[in-house]
């Protein structure tokens, strides 16, 4: 099924190339389950084989991003300038970025594992440039069996967790302090409003008494 879809996409790309030389195949995930962009972009390239067989058309993944024009960005900023989300801060943005990076790393490692498994089973031919790149990646991996390195990683992780925990506590205390100040301000405003209403009521009663007294005096006269 995947091979058939791939051949259909390549054929469609050849037809579109007659009208657009720089055509790009974009796959959009309508129901994304992971964070990040729900799109994958590919371009059709000629793959040269080492055994001298004729070249074949295949897809090469390209980096993609979704942006907006300056007018659209200004409009969005204008709509969001009065919206203040206290739950979004530097710490939460940093954690979100790390989660996205880790999920992307997991996805890439899964693709590498699937590719190597299929090559080992003979389902895919050996692509030497890919194997060389994977070998370079494995050679650059640090040796985590060194006790000093493991201790350094543990200390660094504990320090980062301590800073994050302390920052979360400080932020919670500041939020509670702001809540108490807001509640005190509201109570003071309610008391001032109540006093003002009582004073106005007393003034009205006093004016009514004076008016009645004046009517009595005029009637007697």
């Amino acid at each position: 099924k995947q091979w058939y879809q791939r051949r259909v996409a390549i054929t469609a790309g050849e037809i579109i190339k007659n009208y657009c030389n720089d055509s790009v195949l974009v796959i959009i995930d309508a129901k994304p389950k992971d964070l990040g962009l729900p799109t994958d972009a590919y371009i059709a390239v000629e793959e040269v084989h080492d055994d001298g067989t004729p070249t074949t058309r295949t897809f090469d993944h390209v980096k993609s991003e979704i942006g907006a024009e300056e007018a659209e960005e200004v409009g969005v900023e204008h709509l969001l300038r009065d919206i203040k989300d206290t739950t979004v801060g530097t710490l939460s943005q940093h954690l979100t970025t790390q989660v996205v990076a880790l999920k992307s790393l997991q996805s890439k490692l899964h693709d590498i594992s699937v590719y190597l498994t299929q090559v080992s089973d003979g389902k895919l031919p050996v692509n030497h440039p890919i194997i060389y790149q994977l070998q370079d990646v494995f050679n650059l991996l640090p040796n985590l069996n060194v006790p000093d390195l493991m201790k350094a990683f543990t200390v660094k992780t504990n320090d980062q967790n301590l800073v994050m925990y302390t920052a979360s506590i400080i932020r919670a205390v500041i939020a509670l302090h702001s809540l108490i100040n807001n509640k005190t301000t509201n109570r003071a405003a309610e008391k001032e409003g109540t006093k003002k209403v009582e004073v106005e009521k007393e003034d009205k009663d006093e004016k009514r008494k004076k008016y009645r007294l004046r009517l009595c005096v005029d009637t007697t006269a």
Side-chain angles (χ1 to χ4, degrees):
K1 182 179 179 181
Q2 292 180 354
W3 178 86
Y4 175 75
Q5 293 176 349
R6 180 182 176 186
R7 295 303 306 171
V8 170
I10 292 177
T11 305
E14 292 292 337
I15 297 175
I16 296 175
K17 191 176 180 180
N18 297 328
Y19 306 93
C20 178
N21 294 327
D22 299 328
S23 59
V24 179
L25 173 65
V26 180
I27 300 176
I28 301 175
D29 188 1
K31 297 180 179 180
K33 298 180 180 179
D34 298 329
L35 298 175
L37 295 178
T39 59
D40 288 320
Y42 302 90
I43 58 174
V45 296
E46 294 284 347
E47 183 178 4
V48 180
H49 302 283
D50 297 335
D51 54 2
T53 56
T55 60
T56 56
R57 300 284 290 180
T58 184
F59 284 112
D60 187 15
H61 183 268
V62 294
K63 295 182 179 180
S64 61
E65 62 180 7
I66 298 176
E69 296 183 355
E70 184 177 359
E72 295 175 345
E73 292 180 354
V74 172
V76 173
E77 291 178 359
H78 178 74
L79 292 174
L80 298 180
R81 64 181 181 179
D82 294 332
I83 300 177
K84 183 179 180 182
D85 189 358
T86 57
T87 62
V88 177
T90 305
L91 179 60
S92 61
Q93 291 177 354
H94 179 67
L95 292 177
T96 302
T97 304
Q98 286 188 340
V99 170
V100 173
L102 290 175
K103 287 188 176 181
S104 177
L105 177 61
Q106 181 183 6
S107 175
K108 302 302 180 185
L109 292 177
H110 177 70
D111 293 340
I112 292 173
S113 176
V114 172
Y115 171 74
L116 293 177
T117 302
Q118 291 183 355
V119 171
S120 177
D121 295 340
K123 296 180 181 179
L124 289 177
V126 177
N127 191 319
H128 295 287
I130 295 178
I131 300 299
Y132 294 154
Q133 290 183 1
L134 293 178
Q135 186 63 45
D136 293 337
V137 171
F138 295 146
N139 291 335
L140 292 174
L141 290 176
N143 185 10
L144 299 179
N145 295 325
V146 181
D148 294 337
L149 182 60
M150 295 178 63
K151 182 178 179 181
F153 271 118
T154 304
V155 172
K156 184 67 174 179
T157 303
N158 291 337
D159 292 342
Q160 290 179 349
N161 291 334
L162 176 62
V163 172
M164 293 170 57
Y165 181 70
T166 305
S168 299
I169 292 177
I170 294 173
R171 187 173 182 179
V173 171
I174 293 175
L176 290 174
H177 184 68
S178 300
L179 179 62
I180 293 173
N181 288 339
N182 188 21
K183 192 172 183 179
T184 304
T185 303
N186 291 337
R187 284 185 177 179
E190 290 177 359
K191 289 182 180 179
E192 290 180 359
T194 304
K195 289 181 180 180
K196 187 176 180 180
V197 171
E198 291 178 354
V199 170
E200 291 178 354
K201 186 177 180 181
E202 291 177 358
D203 292 339
K204 289 181 179 180
D205 293 339
E206 188 67 23
K207 289 180 180 179
R208 288 177 182 176
K209 289 180 181 180
K210 290 181 179 181
Y211 179 72
R212 289 176 182 176
L213 181 61
R214 185 179 298 174
L215 288 176
C216 291
V217 173
D218 292 340
T219 303
T220 305

